[in-house]
Amino acid sequence: QVQLVESGGRLVQAGGSLRLSCAASGVTFRRYAIAWFRQAPGKEREFVAANSQRSGSTIYADSVKGRFTISRDNAKSVMVLQMNDLKDGDTATYYCAGSETVIVSQLRSQSAYSYWGQGTQVTVSS
């Protein structure tokens, strides 16, 4: 049974940093494309960042480029989203996602991912 479990969300001041983790089980993690999405209150879920080890691709939403970093530890089956210089607009529930077969052109697409975590809340206060 595949399971993704996020952790690390909390209240943080604007300009601060936060590290989100997502632990995967029941998968051969090194084969998986991984991604982070987020959903703010009253808005649709949106793409944040993704990594495909198979294609060597790492991509980011323009809104987080230069501030967020996605990484993975295949030995531990963990993906991480390091978030720096947080802004009010980063307040959202953050979801990790994974799937074994995601072509590069679909890395930003929610429908490309088979497995999702339950979400972790990040609140940025100014």
Side-chain angles (χ1 to χ4, degrees), residues 3-50:
Q3 194 171 18
L4 301 178
V5 179
E6 301 101 334
S7 62
R10 61 175 175 86
L11 175 66
V12 62
Q13 286 192 334
S17 297
L18 205 56
R19 180 182 173 93
L20 304 183
S21 296
C22 176
S25 59
V27 301
T28 305
F29 189 72
R30 67 181 184 278
R31 297 179 182 173
Y32 270 59
I34 58 172
W36 289 91
F37 291 80
R38 68 185 182 185
Q39 186 167 20
K43 295 186 177 181
E44 293 186 352
R45 189 158 55 183
E46 64 176 5
F47 169 79
V48 175

Side-chain angles (χ1 to χ4, degrees), residues 73-87:
D73 185 333
N74 289 335
K76 297 181 179 179
S77 297
V78 171
M79 67 177 88
V80 171
L81 185 68
Q82 177 66 43
M83 306 186 293
N84 298 327
D85 189 23
L86 284 160
K87 306 179 185 301

Side-chain angles (χ1 to χ4, degrees), residues 21-110:
S21 296
C22 176
S25 59
V27 301
T28 305
F29 189 72
R30 67 181 184 278
R31 297 179 182 173
Y32 270 59
I34 58 172
W36 289 91
F37 291 80
R38 68 185 182 185
Q39 186 167 20
K43 295 186 177 181
E44 293 186 352
R45 189 158 55 183
E46 64 176 5
F47 169 79
V48 175
N51 168 263
S52 169
Q53 193 155 357
R54 284 186 173 184
S55 66
S57 299
T58 299
I59 59 174
Y60 297 93
D62 288 344
S63 60
V64 307
K65 200 173 295 183
R67 300 188 297 122
F68 289 13
T69 302
I70 186 172
S71 62
R72 63 195 298 160
D73 185 333
N74 289 335
K76 297 181 179 179
S77 297
V78 171
M79 67 177 88
V80 171
L81 185 68
Q82 177 66 43
M83 306 186 293
N84 298 327
D85 189 23
L86 284 160
K87 306 179 185 301
D88 289 350
D90 296 320
T91 294
T93 300
Y94 284 72
Y95 299 88
C96 61
S99 195
E100 186 163 0
T101 306
V102 181
I103 58 176
V104 173
S105 62
Q106 292 296 312
L107 283 173
R108 298 174 183 266
S109 174
Q110 296 180 51

